[in-house]
Structures are given as C-alpha cells and as structure tokens.
C-alpha cells in the first residue's frame, strides 16, 4: 500500500484523478515531505519490479483518508480529525476537502488485489463513491447521526481570506494553503470493475468511526 499522496498533489485543478496520475514533485505547487516520500517510494517499487523483480508480482493500493471503526486508543492521524470535531470547541474549519475510504473496505481491497490475478502490475485507488467532503461536511454527518455526541462540532466554515490571514502568522496553517478550496474528484472505477470492489458510504464510515471512539472511551 502507498497512498493517494503519490497521485494527487503538485497538480493544478484537474477534472478527475485516476491511477494514471502521479504527484508532481518538481512543479510550482509545493508538495509536503510525506507526499514526496510516498511518491518516491512507490516509483522505486515499480522500478525494482521492472528492472530486478524477476517473477515477482506487484499491485499497489492508493487509499485516500482512512477512517472507520478503531480497535483501541492507538489510531491513525486521519481519525484525529473526527476526534477533534467531537471534542474541541473551535469557531470553524477551513475549506479543505478530502476523500475517504473505510478501513474495512481498504482491507477488503487489499485481499482482492492479492488474490485476483488481474491485479498484477496495476495501481488501484481506494476511495468511497461519495466524493470529496470538507471538514464541515464531516461535522454535519456527526450532528445529524449522533447529535448527543457532537455538541462541539463546528457549525460554519471559515472564509478563505481569514485562513490566508492566519497563515501569515502560523506555519501549520500556511501549509494548508495549496489545498484551500481545491476539490479533487477521484475515480475508483478500476477497483470496482477489475476487482469487484464495493465501498461503504461516507456516512456509514463516519458513524461507525464515532461509535467506536465512544466504545473505547476516546471521546
């Protein structure tokens, strides 16, 4: 598994991203170090298979943000978004969009790629059918589905000019600016047509995520 980080960064606005795309590391749009590392690592893996792999086979899964139920208090950074929306009182969130895949669907996709001969030599984007969602969209799902647990979820999205102003003084916010207001439409058709994959909805993914955080006394 690598990541959508190896596909969708460093580009200008595109109609849709597919497995044919690679993140552009030497262009005009800054790419974070994490995304660079994922891109370089995956390209190295494909180069190895081509030049030295012999009879080895390679299929790569490129997931978007991984959400869904957790098994303990030890969870990924993506889940921190849901935890923060439920437990931190903030005036609003920036207009940052991201796509989601349920961890259970991602596990299923890995198994399909490992066991289906048609997967060899291919990349597969793992993402739900629902398309990109903003922070405020996640907050709306929380307030609708689990209102008793979402009293602190923000009710408004911060205007872009305000985020850009804050970025002048906050390096962490400054790093968000290339993605501010950018909506990345992503195709998951290859995973569905080649491997017969069927991902859950974002709503189901987020609600099960919330319920697991409550179950493990994380929020």
């Amino acid at each position: 598994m690598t990541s959508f980080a190896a596909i969708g960064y460093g580009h200008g606005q595109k109609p849709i991203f597919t497995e044919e795309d690679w993140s552009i590391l030497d262009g005009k749009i800054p790419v974070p170090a994490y995304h660079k590392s994922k891109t370089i690592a995956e390209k190295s893996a494909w180069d190895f298979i081509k030049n030295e792999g012999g009879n080895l086979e390679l299929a790569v899964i490129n997931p978007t943000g991984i959400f869904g139920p957790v098994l303990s208090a030890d969870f990924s950074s993506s889940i921190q978004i849901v935890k923060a929306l439920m437990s931190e009182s903030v005036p609003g969130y920036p207009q940052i969009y991201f796509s989601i895949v349920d961890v259970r669907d991602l596990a299923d996709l890995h198994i399909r790629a490992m066991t289906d001969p048609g997967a060899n030599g291919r990349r597969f984007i793992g993402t739900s059918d629902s398309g990109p969602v903003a922070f405020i969209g996640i907050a709306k799902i929380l307030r609708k589905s689990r209102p008793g647990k979402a009293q602190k979820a923000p009710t408004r999205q911060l205007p872009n000019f305000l985020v850009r102003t804050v970025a002048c003084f906050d390096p962490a916010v400054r790093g968000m600016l290339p993605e501010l207001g950018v909506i990345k439409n992503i195709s998951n058709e290859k995973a569905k047509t080649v491997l017969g994959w069927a991902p859950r909805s974002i709503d189901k993914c987020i609600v099960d995520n919330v319920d697991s955080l409550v179950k493990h006394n994380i929020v």
Side-chain angles (χ1 to χ4, degrees):
M1 182 178 77
T2 62
S3 170
F4 181 72
I7 290 176
Y9 293 83
H11 301 267
Q13 192 72 49
K14 287 173 59 70
I16 193 164
F17 285 93
T18 72
E19 290 84 354
E20 299 301 315
D21 293 304
W22 286 92
S23 290
I24 300 172
L25 306 184
D26 54 359
K28 296 180 179 179
I29 300 175
V31 176
Y34 172 84
H35 301 67
K36 289 182 179 179
S37 70
K38 288 293 187 179
T39 307
I40 292 169
E42 187 186 341
K43 285 187 173 183
S44 296
W46 286 116
D47 287 343
F48 175 81
I49 289 295
K50 178 181 178 181
N51 299 318
E52 304 177 53
N55 293 325
L56 292 177
E57 296 182 351
L58 177 64
V60 170
I61 309 300
N62 300 87
T64 53
I66 304 170
F67 292 78
V70 303
L71 299 177
S72 70
D74 182 14
F75 50 81
S76 69
S77 58
S78 297
I79 305 300
Q80 185 64 37
I81 294 174
V82 177
K83 180 178 181 291
L85 287 169
M86 295 177 68
S87 59
E88 297 178 10
S89 295
V90 294
Y93 274 86
Q95 189 182 355
I96 300 291
Y97 294 84
F98 50 94
S99 291
I100 287 174
V101 62
D102 190 290
V103 65
R104 296 164 292 185
D105 296 329
L106 184 57
D108 175 54
L109 184 54
H110 275 84
I111 292 170
R112 290 172 184 269
M114 287 189 291
T115 57
D116 191 324
N120 182 34
R122 297 185 175 188
R123 310 169 86 196
F124 296 93
I125 293 175
T127 194
S128 74
D129 292 326
S130 305
V133 62
F135 286 111
I136 198 67
I138 300 296
K140 288 178 179 178
I141 293 173
L142 295 177
R143 290 198 305 273
K144 177 182 177 181
S145 301
R146 296 293 184 268
K149 297 293 183 180
Q151 297 95 333
K152 294 184 178 181
T155 58
R156 66 191 182 99
Q157 191 161 257
L158 299 176
N160 290 347
F161 79 86
L162 179 59
V163 177
R164 291 191 178 96
T165 300
V166 174
C168 294
F169 310 96
D170 189 333
V173 176
R174 196 176 308 138
M176 300 179 183
L177 294 184
E179 301 299 316
L180 192 63
V182 176
I183 299 176
K184 296 179 180 179
N185 295 306
I186 306 168
S187 173
N188 61 6
E189 283 303 308
K190 184 184 285 188
K192 294 194 294 185
T193 56
V194 174
L195 301 179
W197 187 59
R200 291 168 174 80
S201 68
I202 285 181
D203 289 56
K204 174 66 173 171
C205 175
I206 295 301
V207 170
D208 288 353
N209 194 160
V210 169
D211 290 346
S212 71
L213 293 176
V214 173
K215 176 182 177 181
H216 292 287
N217 299 313
I218 297 169
V219 294

